[in-house]
Amino acid sequence: MPPRADLLPGTLDLLILKSVSLGTLHGYGVLLRIEQITGGALLVEQGALYPALFRLEHRGLLQSEWGVSENNRRAKYYRLTAAGRRALRAETESWNRLTAAMAAALRTRTGEV
């Protein structure tokens, strides 16, 4: 198991959008998908996940409908809306710019500035 990392503020929404972009998921499935796509480094608490799903749905980035889960329970399934796809693309680009800038800053050695 890889070492755990803390979620940075504002990254949960992006992780949810990415997870749902890979296929329609119920809430617990989103939680498992985040763990899967981060190699187990990031774990999301259910107490943080469901308010974020509500918030994203309220902003029109996710759409939901009730269905039956694989264990025959009633579950709310989420999928990305067109606005959600645009938000995911914009947030991904922003995150990539940030990580590239941080990587460049951290590679800087004495005498290079």
Side-chain angles (χ1 to χ4, degrees):
M1 177 141 318
R4 299 269 187 235
D6 293 329
L7 276 176
L8 296 175
T11 55
L12 178 57
D13 289 2
L14 178 56
L15 286 169
I16 292 171
L17 293 176
K18 179 60 184 178
S19 296
V20 175
S21 79
L22 301 171
T24 301
L25 294 167
H26 53 69
Y28 188 67
V30 172
L31 189 143
L32 295 177
R33 179 66 51 83
I34 290 172
E35 184 177 347
Q36 178 187 41
I37 65 177
T38 63
L42 297 176
L43 298 179
V44 176
E45 300 292 329
Q46 289 187 36
L49 177 70
Y50 290 102
L53 287 168
F54 176 81
R55 184 177 56 250
L56 292 169
E57 185 176 12
H58 186 72
R59 291 175 51 200
L61 304 180
L62 295 178
Q63 190 170 33
S64 70
E65 65 181 322
W66 289 98
V68 178
S69 70
E70 56 279 351
N71 60 3
N72 210 27
R73 289 186 170 179
R74 190 166 182 248
K76 199 171 188 181
Y77 283 82
Y78 297 90
R79 63 185 157 94
L80 214 54
T81 64
R85 279 189 289 281
R86 287 190 299 273
L88 174 59
R89 190 172 30 254
E91 289 296 319
T92 299
E93 290 170 2
S94 175
W95 184 253
N96 288 337
R97 284 191 302 274
L98 174 64
T99 57
M102 286 298 296
L106 295 174
R107 283 192 307 268
T108 303
R109 297 175 186 216
T110 304
E112 291 183 347
V113 288

